[in-house]
Structure formats: C-alpha cells, structure tokens
Amino acid sequence: MSALLEVRDLKVRYGGNLALSVGALSLGHGEIIGVVGGNGAGKSTLVNAVAGWSRGAPRVEGSVQLGGRDISALPTHRRVREGLLLVPEGKLIFGTMTVEENLAEGIDDPGEGRKPYSVEEIYALFPRLAERRGHLGSQLSGGERQMLGIGRALRLAPRALLLDEPSIGLAPKLVRTVLQSVSDLRAHGLSVLLVEQNVKAAIEVVDRVLLLERGQVVLEGTAAEMRNNPRIAEAYLGAQRA
Amino acid sequence: MNLGQQILNGLVLGHSYALIAIGWTVLLGVARLVNFAHGQMYMMGAFVAWMVMAKVGLPYPLALVTSVLAGVLIGFVMQEVMLGLTLRQDLVSIMIVTLGFGYVLHGVAAIAFGSTGQILDTPFSTINVYWNDIWFTGQDLFIIAVTVAFFIALQLVLAKSRLGRLARMVAEDPKLAILAGVDVRRVYFGVFAFQGAAVALAGAIVGPRTPILTSMGFEEVIITFFVVVLGGIGSVLGSYLAGLSLGLFTAFFGALVSPAYTTPAAFLVLIAVLVLRPGGLAAKPGGA
Amino acid sequence: MATVFGTIAVLALAVAGFFVPAAFGGGGAVYSACVLIAIFAVMAYGLDLIVSDLGEVSLGHPVFFASGAYATALLSTEAGLSPVLTFVASLAVAMALALLVGFITLRLREFVFSLVTYAVTVVALTLAENWSALGGSDGIAGIPLFTVDAGIASFRAVTDRDLWPVAYGLLLATLWLVSAFRRSRLGNAALKVHLNPRLATMSGIDPQKTRLMVFLVSAPMTAAAGWLYAYQRAYISADLLSPYFLILMLTAVVIIGRRLLLAPLMGVALILVQEKFFSFGGDVDRIILGCALIVSLAFLPGGIAGTARALAARIRRSDDPARTNAKNEGAT
Ligand SMILES: Nc1ncnc2c1ncn2[C@@H]1O[C@H](COP(=O)(O)OP(=O)(O)OP(=O)(O)O)[C@@H](O)[C@H]1O
Ligand SMILES: [Mg+2]
C-alpha cells in the first residue's frame, strides 16, 4: 500500500539561503514519524513547507502528495480541507475567542471515510479543555493551548497531522499526556509527523525517527534502532543543553 | 435655542454618522484596513440613488438596491487591485491607494453626474412632522430606524454566526485562520464588499438630508474617521455610541457657537482623546 | 579626481537645466509649465523627506504649502511686505505649524499618523473656507508682482518667463538641501529610525526628536513652494488644501522611486506635462492622476525606476542561467 504523505525534492529558501533540502520523505497510514534536531535545524521549516504555510516568506520547491494526489499547487487552506493539518509552533490558537469558539470551526462533509472529531470527543480526549470551555484562548496555560491547538486540528478531520513541538514548555507530566494522546490518535488511523526536541519522550511514541541537521536529513531509522544511536543521544543532549 | 429640536437634530445626525461609519468599523476591525475612498463611495451611493430616481424614474426601494450593488462593485474592484497589498498587510500603501481611488471616483462621478449640486428627494423626505415646537421629516425617522436595525443585525452576525466567527479569526490572525481552513482572500473580498454596500446605502439614506455634490467625499471621510477612532477602533457598539455623541456635539456646537467650525472643534476633541489615550487606538479585533 | 569630475558634471547639469524651457521653444506656455513644475517639485520634496527618509506618509503637507501661500498673500497685500520678507515669514509660519503638528503626532505611527495628518488638512480646509481673516471662500486676490528692489538694481517679474530664474533657483536650492540632508547626521538618523527604530534607539538616536527635526526641515520646503505659488498665481484660495495638491505630491513622490534625488522632480514633470500639453479635461486628468498613484503603489512597488531595474536584472539573469544557479547554491 502506498504512503499517505509523499514528499519529494523539497527545497526551502529564505531570501537566498537554502534552509531545507529533503530528497524524499514518506509517511504511511497510521504511522508516526518523529522529526528531531537542534535549534535551527529546519524542523519547523519542514512541516510548514509540507503544509504550504509560513509566517515568513520562504520560497518552496518540490512536490507533496497526499493520498496519491499532488497537492503542491493547492493553496494552504485547500490543503487543510483535504486533511493535511498543521499545528504550528508559537501562536497556535485564537486568543480573543473562547475555547468553545476555537473548536467551533469543523468540517461537515469531509468524504472518503474521513471523520471529524466532534467537540464532545475532543473534550473526552482532553478533559482539561472541557473544564475551561468558556475561557478565552489568551487565558489558557501553555499545555492547554497545545491541547486546544491539536483539538482545533482534529475538528477538521485530518488524514495527516503535522505537530510542531507540542511539548514545548510543558511540565514532564504534561509532556507524557500530550504525547500519549498523539499516540492514541494513531489508533484512530491518523498519521502524524511529530517535531520534537524532547527526543527521549518522543521516541516512546513514534515508529520512525528522522534526524535533521542544517536542513538535511542526516539519519533515519525505526524507533528501536535509534533509541541507542549515539548521534541521537548527542542530538538529545544538544537539545538538553540548548 | 430650542433644546428639544437640537437634541433631535443631534440624534438624527448621530445616527447618520454611525451609519456612514459602520462599513469602516468592520473594515478596520476585521481586515485591519483603512479606506480613504469611503467618502467618495458615500457620494457614489447618493448619486446612484439620485440617478435611478430622477433620471430613470424608478422608486426609492429600487434606488437603494442599485446603490448597494454599486457599492459592492466598487468594493470588489478596489480589493481586486489591492489584494497583494492586503495579503502583505501593507497598510500605508493601501491607504494611499484608496486615496487614489477616491480621487478617481470623484473624476468618474463628475463625468457621469455633472458637477452641479443635486437634491435627492425620497418619499420620506417630503413628509414633515410637527410636534410641539419640534420639526422633523420622515427621512429622519427612516435614518434612525435603518441605523438601529443595521447595528443590531451586525452585532448579532459578528457575535453569533459562522460568518462573524470567520471574520474574527481573520482579524486576529490571518495566517492562523488559513490553517483553520479559512479562505482568507474571500473574507477580505467579503469585508470590502460589505463596506462598499454599507456606505453606499448610507449615501442613499443620509444623502437626502443635504444637497449632494460630487466633491463631498474628501471631507465626508473625516467624520467617519472621528467616529471610528472615538468609538475604539473596530468596536461596533463603540462606534454607534461615538456616532451618537458626535451628532449631539455637532448639533449643540452648531447652535451655540458656529456651524462652520464643528469639524475643527470635533478634531480638537479627537486630539485630546489621542493624547490622553494613545493606547486606545490599538484595535480590538473582530469588531464585536 | 572622480569627485572633481562629478562636481563639474553636476554644475553643468544645473546650468543646462536653466535652458530647458528655451530648448522647448521658449513659448509662454512652456515657461509657465516649467515654473509650475519647479514650484510643485519643491512642494513635493518636502513630502519626499517624510515619505522616503522618515518612512511615514504625511497627508498634512498641503497645510504647509497653503501656510506659505497664505502668509505671502496676507503680508504682501495687507502689509505690503517684499518677497524677501514674505519668504522669511512663510518659512517661520510653516515651522511653527510643523512644531504643532509634530507634537500632536509625535507618538503616532503608520496609518494612525496618516489619518491624523489627513484630518489636519481637512480641518485647515474648513478653517480657510470659513475664516474671513483668511479670505473665506473668496480667497485672497491682488497679490502684487514679484518685485525686489535692491537700491540700484531692481527685479520685477511680470510673466512666468520673468519668474523662471526665481523658480529655478528655488528648485536648485531645494535639491542641494535634500542631498545635503541625506548626507547629514539628521538624514542618517531619520533613515535609521525608519528602517530599524529599536536599533536606532540603542545607538543613541532619539526617534521622536528626529521626527520633529525632519518635520522642521521638510515643512519650510513645502512652504517655500507655496510662497512662490502665491506670486505666480496672484490669487489664492482654500483650493490649495483640496485633494489635488495632496494627490499630486504623493504621486510625484512614489511614481518614479524612493530616495532618488531627482525622482520627485521627474514625477512632477511627468504629471504636469500630461496636464498642460496632453490634457483630456479636468475630470479625465483627475482619473489619470488617481490611476497613476494606484498603479505605482499596487503594481510597481519600486516605482518606475525600481521596475526598470528589476526588468534589467531579469533580462541579465535569463542570459546566463547557469551562473545564477551556481550563485544560489553557493549561498547556502
Ligand atoms: N521567517 C524566516 N526568515 C528567515 N529565515 C528563517 C525564517 N524561519 C526560519 N529561518 C531560518 O531557517 C533555519 C531553520 O529554522 P527552523 O525554524 O525550521 O528551525 P527549527 O528546527 O524549527 O528550530 P527550533 O527548534 O528552534 O524551532 C534557521 O537557520 C532559521 O534561521
Ligand atoms: Mg521550530
């Protein structure tokens, strides 16, 4: 069976600088790939380019296929409607709207066996959010924002989820909660590209790991192979030191 | 001074100001855009209504519809030209481009409608009501009724409907709205069309109060600017209240001091607000 | 050596400029157009400093233009002052107004700044229309001829041909001032405040003071244009504050390109040549001018000069694709 998400010859430039160059990357159905690497390695650049999105103005080349269909030419909001959902780094929810309003925008008829999560299902996944449904986005803690960001994406019936450092700034216990819920999502048939600096925690939930350095994939393998790889340990320590 | 009459004048003027400004309020609140052609679009709304009634001979309701359609069309054309600037959020360039559009509209109107003043008569403006020593026209009541209905409807749409929610998402963070699957371009087009429709409607409804001139846009926009800034940029309720206050201020200043200097006087008030409350200019997104 | 040649070239150009009207046949209409181009260019240079160097868009510059013209008209008709004295008075009035507007807008930026300066223009328009001391809606007529008596010699400008040396001199002085400003510490500070306010503050520049100072340089320039315009027209009214002058200066400043010394002059020349010699009537000219403004901002971000440069670069690049590729790769 072919992969759900296929990326080929992806090159991203900021101004004249090549920030990312990935020859090939494929994400299977129900697979979780962890993307790790130090600061500025190009992790965010990778997931943003796959989604066709950025807060800056990069120049992106290469092809992205979702479910065998080339979506490289689609504008970002259309990719979203096709089921390619990015939960970005940094600001990821609407601060002037309540939790409930943040979750209100769903997709009614996604087709092809996709099923959007209902608001109630998201509250079941993240009970914290249910307690805070009337609060404004700007009043939430960092962890609650991550949950809300993921919840917002699930409302749009994702086929592939691109998560950019969902555990950033979270307490260790919350990291486990968030990553556990990512892992639970796989049970629903979802594929996830998970950017993480917290390699140790991430490696417990992913199937495969990609190590990025200076915009290139320098190492790739299954979670089991990578767990004891010295370079991953080095990247992990590097991340710890950073 | 006839106190009751001045209060009534102030209320009618205030509702007129609020109605004229509402398109800008939403434009600024949602799209973070400013439109200096607003005054000329108001002028266009009034003249299109005049033409439909005086030259074509159609009734007032059809004239209103035609004005609104003309406003939508102008809004669409402007947004089509400025889309690149909008997506880059290049506010200053957008502002100057709209100034250019206003200038072009003025030229077009002068060619299409001539440069003499006209009177826009409607079925309501010929109804005179005398009550004790107070006088008003049917058009005055119509202005107040339309403005109140418009503001209530808008407030409901922005607070409760999906459309309002999309608008608020785009207002807060257009890039993030894209990730929620929102077609941001369409929202921008919608907002511009709404602004055009609202101000053209205002032209066709408020225009009958005074003789209309193709050159009136340059100054007209300044009232809108006052209303929007005093109301707290982007706030619907705020701009209603600001419009009302400005209307009462104008009526009383005109009666007690001099009608010629109301604009400078209102400007002084505005400057005071700007100096006392410079942070109050930060727009609260979403216009709710 | 290069600077010596440069100086000679600039001087030659300055001298040659004087004979432009003569070169175009020297008719009365040509002199009139050239005088107006010089006056409006001086007016636009005042705005250019704010837009290109300070990076804000002032919509209040018609007020400085009008203040020069009004000061001149009032003082020459009521008090019989000579052009030299009205010149000094124009600059003084404009600087006082610039201080006022500068203080009001000191902390405003971007579109709020522009909105407030626009309001200043509209307020000035209603004042000029209504205030009888300023001539009200009739304006001020009967401004005397431009006459300077210096004991033995006297100069009296009856026609625009006579006025041309004054207009051209004013233009040259303005050009010199603008280029001196751009080389000065103030000009440097303005650019820093424009491009990176935070860095400017860290390097010891006070942004608010810089803005005020630039205003104080810019406003008298525009007012000087108003001064000469009053003599040229012999009649002024609140029309000076109408959108025409505002759109004219804005278009002149953006149409050719930013921070090019001759750009506003060329912009004004382009617009006035169209209006004077290829006119389609006032309303169509209005549409043309408005469209020029729209197109230069919406479609030619670098102005005509920037677009020409980009085109040239593209042609060069398409000649030699291999080299540019290599360069891109090398940059990574
Ligand atoms: N908007 C931008 N403009 C210019 N350069 C950028 C931009 N965003 C990222 N870069 C550059 O691209 C490279 C990769 O950045 P990226 O944000 O993808 O790193 P990252 O791996 O996500 O790092 P982090 O772990 O800190 O989030 C960096 O060198 C960065 O400086
Ligand atoms: Mg990142």
Side-chain angles (χ1 to χ4, degrees):
Chain A
M1 193 166 125
S2 72
L4 173 67
L5 188 67
E6 289 268 12
V7 177
R8 294 229 176 286
D9 300 321
L10 191 66
K11 285 198 169 72
V12 183
R13 292 189 173 84
Y14 293 105
N17 297 332
L18 190 64
L20 183 81
S21 173
V22 170
L25 165 66
S26 67
L27 178 69
H29 292 269
E31 188 181 25
I32 303 184
I33 295 184
V35 179
V36 300
N39 291 113
K43 307 181 295 295
S44 301
T45 301
L46 170 64
V47 284
N48 288 353
V50 169
W53 185 85
S54 172
R55 292 219 182 252
R59 213 146 41 87
V60 179
E61 288 165 38
S63 84
V64 179
Q65 295 198 346
L66 183 69
R69 179 164 166 235
D70 193 332
I71 57 166
S72 317
L74 287 188
T76 312
H77 71 274
R78 289 285 311 283
R79 298 189 196 194
V80 170
R81 296 268 151 194
E82 293 292 320
L84 185 58
L85 267 293
L86 168 68
V87 181
E89 173 182 52
K91 185 171 183 305
L92 75 174
I93 54 160
F94 294 99
T96 56
M97 310 205 316
T98 62
V99 168
E100 197 128 279
E101 285 172 322
N102 265 285
L103 292 174
E105 187 64 10
I107 191 164
D108 294 330
D109 184 21
E112 311 161 49
R114 284 162 64 195
K115 191 184 88 57
Y117 280 63
S118 71
V119 178
E120 287 315 316
E121 281 169 314
I122 286 167
Y123 287 152
L125 192 61
F126 301 115
R128 271 306 283 165
L129 292 182
E131 294 165 30
R132 318 215 70 192
R133 64 178 78 193
H135 287 66
L136 287 182
S138 58
Q139 298 168 334
L140 300 185
S141 77
E144 290 163 347
R145 285 173 200 218
Q146 291 296 345
M147 297 175 200
L148 184 54
I150 296 172
R152 228 168 33 74
L154 294 178
R155 287 281 290 132
L156 292 159
R159 299 161 76 189
L161 199 53
L162 313 172
L163 298 179
D164 198 345
E165 303 203 33
S167 75
I168 196 154
L170 298 192
K173 190 166 150 249
L174 271 173
V175 172
R176 245 170 287 132
T177 316
V178 169
L179 291 183
Q180 188 55 50
S181 58
V182 170
S183 163
D184 291 347
L185 293 174
R186 172 180 26 202
H188 290 70
L190 196 62
S191 312
V192 182
L193 201 55
L194 173 69
V195 171
E196 259 309 331
Q197 293 224 19
N198 192 333
V199 180
K200 198 174 160 203
I203 220 154
E204 301 302 320
V205 298
V206 303
D207 302 310
R208 282 195 296 147
V209 177
L210 288 184
L211 175 62
L212 277 183
E213 258 172 35
R214 272 183 247 108
Q216 313 259 339
V217 178
V218 291
L219 204 60
E220 187 175 357
T222 65
E225 290 164 8
M226 302 297 263
R227 194 163 286 142
N228 301 314
N229 189 303
R231 289 189 70 177
I232 291 287
E234 185 190 322
Y236 162 57
L237 287 173
Q240 281 288 308
R241 251 185 274 126
Chain B
M1 186 186 69
N2 178 340
L3 186 67
Q5 182 73 55
Q6 291 314 333
I7 291 180
L8 186 93
N9 289 352
L11 287 177
V12 175
L13 260 184
H15 281 83
S16 311
Y17 292 164
L19 187 61
I20 295 171
I22 190 61
W24 237 53
T25 301
V26 172
L27 191 64
L28 197 52
V30 172
R32 301 296 177 88
L33 299 177
V34 283
N35 181 0
F36 273 113
H38 191 79
Q40 281 83 5
M41 291 165 90
Y42 168 83
M43 175 273 292
M44 277 291 192
F47 268 96
V48 168
W50 168 79
M51 176 123 121
V52 168
M53 287 195 295
K55 298 279 158 179
V56 186
L58 294 178
Y60 189 44
L62 281 180
L64 291 181
V65 172
T66 319
S67 282
V68 167
L69 290 180
V72 168
L73 183 70
I74 296 171
F76 254 91
V77 170
M78 289 180 68
Q79 187 52 39
E80 182 66 44
V81 169
M82 304 192 308
L83 194 61
L85 297 175
T86 312
L87 294 176
R88 258 179 283 139
Q89 295 269 296
D90 184 350
L91 270 180
V92 173
S93 294
I94 289 170
M95 193 174 62
I96 304 175
V97 169
T98 60
L99 206 57
F101 265 110
Y103 203 61
V104 170
L105 284 177
H106 181 184
V108 170
I111 292 170
F113 309 116
S115 32
T116 46
Q118 301 291 350
I119 302 286
L120 176 56
D121 264 329
T122 76
F124 303 117
S125 61
T126 47
I127 302 173
N128 287 289
V129 184
Y130 297 91
W131 181 60
N132 295 334
D133 57 347
I134 295 177
W135 162 73
F136 55 90
T137 68
Q139 190 73 23
D140 292 343
L141 291 185
F142 186 52
I143 290 172
I144 294 181
V146 170
T147 306
V148 169
F150 203 136
F151 269 82
I152 291 175
L154 184 66
Q155 185 74 20
L156 284 179
V157 166
L158 281 181
K160 298 261 155 42
S161 75
R162 168 158 189 264
L163 204 64
R165 202 176 58 237
L166 294 188
R168 280 153 58 211
M169 287 160 85
V170 173
E172 181 185 324
D173 189 343
K175 292 261 175 168
L176 195 58
I178 292 177
L179 285 187
V182 178
D183 187 347
V184 171
R185 283 164 194 248
R186 269 177 53 186
V187 173
Y188 280 135
F189 268 108
V191 168
F192 244 81
F194 171 80
Q195 184 258 341
V199 72
L201 181 73
I205 289 177
V206 180
R209 277 178 57 85
T210 51
I212 53 175
L213 282 166
T214 50
S215 60
M216 67 188 176
F218 184 61
E219 292 174 61
E220 198 63 51
V221 69
I222 218 70
I223 292 293
T224 296
F225 163 47
F226 290 177
V227 169
V228 171
V229 172
L230 291 176
I233 288 177
S235 156
V236 171
L237 186 64
S239 68
Y240 177 75
L241 295 176
L244 227 57
S245 323
L246 196 64
L248 288 166
F249 174 81
T250 306
F252 279 92
F253 189 88
L256 296 171
V257 189
S258 152
Y261 296 115
T262 45
T263 309
F267 180 66
L268 286 183
V269 175
L270 180 85
I271 293 304
V273 171
L274 284 177
V275 171
L276 291 178
R277 205 187 58 145
L281 286 173
K284 192 175 69 173
Chain C
M1 277 308 274
T3 54
V4 174
F5 279 125
T7 315
I8 292 174
V10 168
L11 283 178
L13 205 64
V15 172
F18 183 77
F19 298 102
V20 163
F24 280 96
V30 173
Y31 271 103
S32 295
C34 288
V35 166
L36 280 182
I37 288 172
I39 292 176
F40 292 158
V42 172
M43 168 181 86
Y45 276 108
L47 181 63
D48 192 34
L49 292 191
I50 306 287
V51 173
S52 303
D53 295 85
L54 206 53
E56 300 282 0
V57 179
S58 161
L59 304 179
H61 268 58
V63 176
F64 302 131
F65 183 62
S67 70
Y70 269 96
T72 303
L74 284 172
L75 292 173
S76 63
T77 55
E78 310 271 323
L81 292 192
S82 74
V84 176
L85 292 177
T86 54
F87 182 73
V88 174
S90 295
L91 302 195
V93 170
M95 286 173 91
L97 282 173
L99 268 182
L100 189 69
V101 175
F103 268 119
I104 293 176
T105 58
L106 202 55
R107 283 192 293 165
L108 306 178
R109 290 188 60 91
E110 296 201 325
F111 81 90
V112 182
F113 172 84
S114 302
L115 281 172
V116 173
T117 50
Y118 182 86
V120 168
T121 300
V122 174
V123 166
L125 174 66
T126 56
L127 282 179
E129 273 175 346
N130 292 298
W131 200 358
S132 54
L134 294 177
S137 52
D138 296 337
I140 301 169
I143 298 167
L145 289 176
F146 189 100
T147 312
V148 183
D149 272 313
I152 28 172
S154 82
F155 174 85
R156 191 174 147 86
V158 181
T159 64
D160 282 338
R161 188 193 306 257
D162 303 333
L163 207 54
W164 170 244
V166 182
Y168 189 64
L170 186 64
L171 176 63
L172 286 185
T174 305
L175 286 172
W176 175 81
L177 198 61
V178 170
S179 70
F181 169 84
R182 294 209 166 128
R183 275 178 278 117
S184 73
R185 192 186 297 178
L186 178 62
N188 236 306
L191 204 61
K192 280 201 187 118
V193 169
H194 170 189
L195 297 177
N196 196 337
R198 199 172 309 160
L199 198 68
T201 319
M202 285 198 301
S203 51
I205 296 167
D206 178 351
Q208 302 194 344
K209 192 172 144 216
T210 306
R211 286 175 59 142
L212 215 51
M213 296 289 288
V214 176
F215 250 86
L216 285 178
V217 177
S218 145
M221 260 183 217
T222 300
W227 164 76
L228 195 56
Y229 190 61
Y231 287 108
Q232 194 267 344
R233 283 278 302 271
Y235 160 77
I236 60 156
S237 73
D239 279 352
L240 293 179
L241 293 155
S242 70
Y244 171 72
F245 292 97
L246 179 59
I247 304 281
L248 174 65
M249 31 182 148
L250 276 173
T251 311
V253 165
V254 299
I255 192 166
I256 305 287
R258 315 268 169 98
R259 274 183 70 73
L260 298 170
L261 184 60
L262 293 181
L265 173 62
M266 288 159 69
V268 168
L270 212 60
I271 297 163
L272 282 199
V273 165
Q274 185 268 315
E275 284 177 5
K276 297 292 166 199
F277 302 105
F278 303 95
S279 173
F280 301 90
D283 292 323
V284 179
D285 287 352
R286 196 174 269 149
I287 295 173
I288 294 174
L289 181 55
C291 286
L293 182 58
I294 295 168
V295 169
S296 16
L297 281 168
F299 303 113
L300 313 172
I304 292 175
T307 310
R309 233 176 287 136
L311 270 179
R314 186 174 302 171
I315 291 166
R316 234 178 299 128
R317 210 177 309 144
S318 64
D319 283 350
D320 189 2
R323 216 187 70 211
T324 27
N325 270 349
K327 215 166 77 195
N328 274 353
E329 298 298 315
T332 53

